[in-house]
Amino acid sequence: MYSEVDRLGKFKIPIYMLLIFICISIGLWIWSDNVFYLFNFMYIGIIVSLGIFLLIKKYKYSRQVVQFGVGLYMLVYLGLICRENMQIEGFWYYLFMGVFQAAVIHYAVAKIIGPLLFGRGWCGYACWTAAVLDLLPYRMPENPRIKKLSFIRYIMFSGSILFVGVLFLLNNPGIEVVMFWSFIAGNIIYYAVGIIMALILKDNRAFCKYICPITVFLKPASYFSLLRVKADSKKCISCGKCKRVCPMNVDILDSKRSRENGTECILCMECVKSCPKGAVYF
């Protein structure tokens, strides 16, 4: 029989995650004197914590709850209704303006500083592009990773800076309108390219591996991530299931930070769920 402490211990991660988001929301509210940030990050924290709780309870669609709960909020409410460009161009736009708000705060929390704690959890639990791509039929990649295509992400990253930089140099008076429509166009392109690549390469996450410019931010910090999936070599029977189900081709059995594709882990927990001996853990 588990004691009450043991039972609570199982849920320490969602509890800690909620507390972290509560601290962020209150801190940003006080710092900015804008109550929006209180509700914004409180909502995200509740959804993320709920998803982790459901994951621990082995609810089948726990990750999808978070993906659509956070992703649709950011895409539809913040992006389309509030007309905030939440893609990387929006980050550069506010950064060039010297304004620490909107996309800049989002990127700082989720994609620059946050990954030191939860790695590429954004990709697995909040990205609205990946939420749709994960619904395609190739959750387990059928082909090996094509490493030579990874350079495309750096072209996309540089292109986003160039695009916003040119808008500022042209001193375009309608730059906010341009940024809004670029957000819409960018999402359409991302979805189209992502779906086409998934069908051609038989890999739902092909877009994430080769195209997505956000990974340029995520990968360095993810290397030092506090929350990581590891493997116990003493329990492992070398069945290979964890590697086969990994959507990002991570060498799960190597617990070193330098493991193959280690900074690609999106904490989806498919490897943990597939291990018959409990050798893979979080």
Side-chain angles (χ1 to χ4, degrees), residues 121-154:
W122 161 264
C123 303
Y125 293 83
C127 176
W128 56 85
T129 303
V132 172
L133 298 180
D134 278 348
L135 298 177
L136 298 175
Y138 304 108
R139 288 180 295 175
M140 292 183 287
E142 296 186 10
N143 297 307
R145 193 184 187 95
I146 308 173
K147 292 186 177 181
K148 63 182 180 180
L149 293 182
S150 297
F151 75 95
I152 301 176
R153 67 178 62 164
Y154 298 101

Side-chain angles (χ1 to χ4, degrees), residues 150-169:
S150 297
F151 75 95
I152 301 176
R153 67 178 62 164
Y154 298 101
I155 294 177
M156 295 290 291
F157 184 84
S158 302
S160 67
I161 302 175
L162 182 63
F163 170 70
V164 179
V166 168
L167 289 179
F168 273 90
L169 288 174

Side-chain angles (χ1 to χ4, degrees), residues 46-92:
I46 290 171
I47 296 297
V48 170
S49 301
L50 173 62
I52 298 174
F53 171 79
L54 294 175
L55 189 67
I56 293 172
K57 298 294 286 185
K58 298 182 180 180
Y59 176 63
K60 184 178 180 180
Y61 301 106
S62 55
R63 197 161 60 87
Q64 286 74 16
V65 168
V66 186
Q67 281 183 310
F68 284 95
V70 177
L72 288 178
Y73 165 71
M74 299 191 71
L75 172 64
V76 178
Y77 179 71
L78 295 182
L80 301 180
I81 297 176
C82 296
R83 299 175 71 89
E84 297 281 358
N85 189 324
M86 301 306 295
Q87 289 183 324
I88 191 169
E89 292 80 12
F91 169 74
W92 299 124

